[in-house]
Amino acid sequence: AQSVAQPEDQVNVAEGNPLTVKCTYSVSGNPYLFWYVQYPNRGLQFLLKYITGDNLVKGSYGFEAEFNKSQTSFHLKKPSALVSDSALYFCAVRGYNNNDMRFGAGTRLTVKP
Amino acid sequence: EAGVAQSPRYKIIEKRQSVAFWCNPISGHATLYWYQQILGQGPKLLIQFQNNGVVDDSQLPKDRFSAERLKGVDSTLKIQPAKLEDSAVYLCASSFDPGHSTGELFFGEGSRLTVL
C-alpha cells in the first residue's frame, strides 16, 4: 500500500524568506501526489497536485512543489513566506487505479513577522 | 459552487452513546469519502463510496461504525457505541473523478466529536 512521510513536525521561517515543507512517498507504479493546507477548525484545502509531465508544479497562493522520482520526494516550496501561510500542511499520495488517498501526519508551518 | 456540507460541527457524548454525522457532497461528485482525523495525525480513510456503492471500507471498524449513501448523494456516518478513542474530527470529502485517481478531494469543515 502507498504511504507518505513528512519528516518535520514543525517548520519555522521568517516572513519574506523561502520555505520548504518536505514529503517523501512510497507507492507501486506511478504516483499521484497532492498537497493540502488546513487552517484551524477548518477542513483541508487543495493546494496543488502532480499527475504527470513537468516536475515543477505550481498551485494556489504562490506555492509550488517539485516532483523528484529518484528521491521519491514531493517537497512544497514558496519563494517568499507570508504570516498568513501559517497552517498545517499535508502531503498525500495515490497510486494508479488505487482510490485510497493516503495522507502524511502533517507539518505545522509557522511564519514569524 | 456550494462546497461539501457537514453537520453537526461539534458533538459531545458519553462513551457507549451513539452519534451520527451527515454529509452532502458537491453536486455532481460521484465519489464520497469519510476520513477520521485524530489530533496530531493525518486523516485516515474510513470508507469510500462511488455513487451509492462501497469501494473501500477496509479501515472501518465495522463492529461500531456504519455508513450509508442510499441515493448516491448525501451520506451518514454512525458510531454506536462510541468509545473514548473515537474522539476525533470526522471529515467528509468528495471528488468528481469518474473511476480515475487523479482528482483532488474537496473537504467539508469536519465534525468534531468528543467522547467523555
Side-chain angles (χ1 to χ4, degrees):
Chain A
Q2 64 271 28
S3 64
V4 168
Q6 294 182 243
E8 301 158 317
D9 292 336
Q10 174 92 30
V11 170
N12 296 314
V13 298
E15 188 174 31
N17 282 1
L19 69 86
T20 299
V21 182
K22 296 179 180 177
C23 171
T24 59
Y25 67 89
S26 173
V27 68
S28 298
N30 293 325
Y32 300 141
L33 296 157
F34 303 79
W35 275 101
Y36 291 83
V37 60
Q38 187 175 35
Y39 297 100
N41 298 315
R42 304 295 298 274
L44 279 69
Q45 295 177 34
F46 168 74
L47 276 179
L48 50 79
K49 65 182 178 183
Y50 171 82
I51 303 302
T52 187
D54 194 348
N55 289 343
L56 186 64
V57 178
K58 294 187 182 298
S60 307
Y61 313 120
F63 284 93
E64 58 190 26
E66 186 168 11
F67 171 65
N68 187 316
K69 188 171 184 177
S70 62
Q71 298 185 6
T72 62
S73 67
F74 189 56
H75 301 332
L76 182 70
K77 300 181 180 183
K78 188 173 183 181
S80 179
L82 300 173
V83 172
S84 57
D85 293 330
S86 298
L88 197 52
Y89 290 80
F90 291 96
C91 183
V93 65
R94 262 173 165 172
Y96 180 76
N97 272 340
N98 187 315
N99 290 296
D100 185 2
M101 185 173 290
R102 293 290 177 104
F103 287 83
T107 298
R108 183 165 300 281
L109 173 68
T110 301
V111 182
K112 298 185 177 179
Chain B
E1 174 181 83
V4 177
Q6 288 190 246
S7 67
R9 289 293 312 277
Y10 304 93
K11 189 74 176 179
I12 301 174
I13 61 174
E14 303 271 340
K15 60 183 178 183
R16 291 187 290 273
Q17 287 186 326
S18 63
V19 64
F21 302 112
W22 173 83
C23 172
N24 193 3
I26 292 173
S27 177
H29 281 194
T31 310
L32 184 148
Y33 312 76
W34 283 103
Y35 281 85
Q36 181 192 57
Q37 186 179 18
I38 293 172
L39 187 65
Q41 300 181 17
K44 184 186 84 170
L45 180 69
L46 292 176
I47 189 168
Q48 177 184 342
F49 294 95
Q50 183 83 13
N51 296 309
N52 62 348
V54 175
V55 173
D56 184 354
D57 64 355
S58 58
Q59 300 183 87
L60 186 73
K62 297 181 186 64
D63 57 334
R64 299 182 301 104
F65 286 66
S66 64
E68 59 184 15
R69 193 185 185 198
L70 292 176
K71 297 183 179 178
V73 181
D74 56 349
S75 175
T76 302
L77 175 72
K78 296 180 181 178
I79 308 174
Q80 181 179 14
K83 292 185 174 182
L84 296 177
E85 58 261 36
D86 298 332
S87 294
V89 176
Y90 291 86
L91 294 166
C92 180
S94 68
S95 66
F96 174 74
D97 49 50
H100 299 289
S101 304
T102 60
E104 61 270 26
L105 273 56
F106 294 82
F107 283 84
E109 295 197 331
S111 295
R112 181 180 296 276
L113 174 65
T114 302
V115 182
L116 303 176

